[in-house]
Amino acid sequence: MNCREDYLEWDEYFMATAFLAAKRSKDPSTQVGACIVNEDRVIIGVGYNGMPKGCEDGEFPWGKHSDDSLKNKYMYVCHAELNAVLNKNTANIKNCKIYVALFPCNECAKVIIQSGIKEVIYLSDKHAHKKTTVASKKMFDAVGVRYRQFVPKHSKIVIDFNQINWDNMNQLPDTPIKNRKDFE
């Protein structure tokens, strides 16, 4: 029996997981996700940018242009990398990789370094000119945390919950889900 040829490679799978996590973010301007993977290619932490636990999303600002810093999201939002480290499902994340949509800021770089993560795989470096990103790279270089840009082989990955026939476990295009209760 021949195997499928259109499967996701590891980097695509983990970056897609980070992007899926980003879909949980309620930030209206920037949604970032992060996925931590160990040396055995097992996901051990996922996070997205959002308010700290217990801080209701509607009670804190999501804007970023107020002259009053207390009315900007930056004072409150936890970044995806921090949340992924805090949400880890193991005691040790030393020598792991972290997949992120956006190159980490200096504060997240500190968390990454302190956690023992040894490689950062990112999609966008749109803030490369900012001092926070320059500082991140300077710290990563000083301690030997590798970083590289992810170049996707596919421009998009589609998740279609109607694609799988759960009775026969065959992939059938445009087949509606028969038992919605299976997802509840």
Side-chain angles (χ1 to χ4, degrees), residues 52-120:
K53 290 178 184 176
C55 294
E56 294 300 321
D57 297 313
E59 295 178 20
F60 291 87
W62 286 102
K64 57 183 185 176
H65 299 295
S66 176
D67 290 335
D68 181 354
S69 61
L70 289 174
K71 294 181 180 177
N72 290 322
K73 66 180 181 176
Y74 303 115
M75 298 293 280
Y76 310 101
V77 171
C78 295
H79 286 183
E81 300 91 333
L82 173 64
N83 279 327
V85 169
L86 293 174
N87 292 336
K88 68 187 185 300
N89 60 15
T90 183
N92 187 357
I93 59 175
K94 187 175 182 183
N95 297 321
C96 287
K97 297 178 182 181
I98 188 166
Y99 289 78
V100 292
L102 193 58
F103 198 92
C105 71
N106 63 309
E107 293 300 321
C108 289
K110 295 174 197 177
V111 171
I112 289 166
I113 292 166
Q114 292 294 86
S115 73
I117 290 172
K118 289 297 180 191
E119 186 172 3
V120 175

Side-chain angles (χ1 to χ4, degrees), residues 1-9 154 157 163 171:
M1 179 178 205
N2 293 335
C3 68
R4 278 184 38 225
E5 294 182 19
D6 62 340
Y7 63 90
L8 295 177
E9 293 183 5
H154 299 93
I157 298 170
Q163 189 176 14
Q171 292 187 357

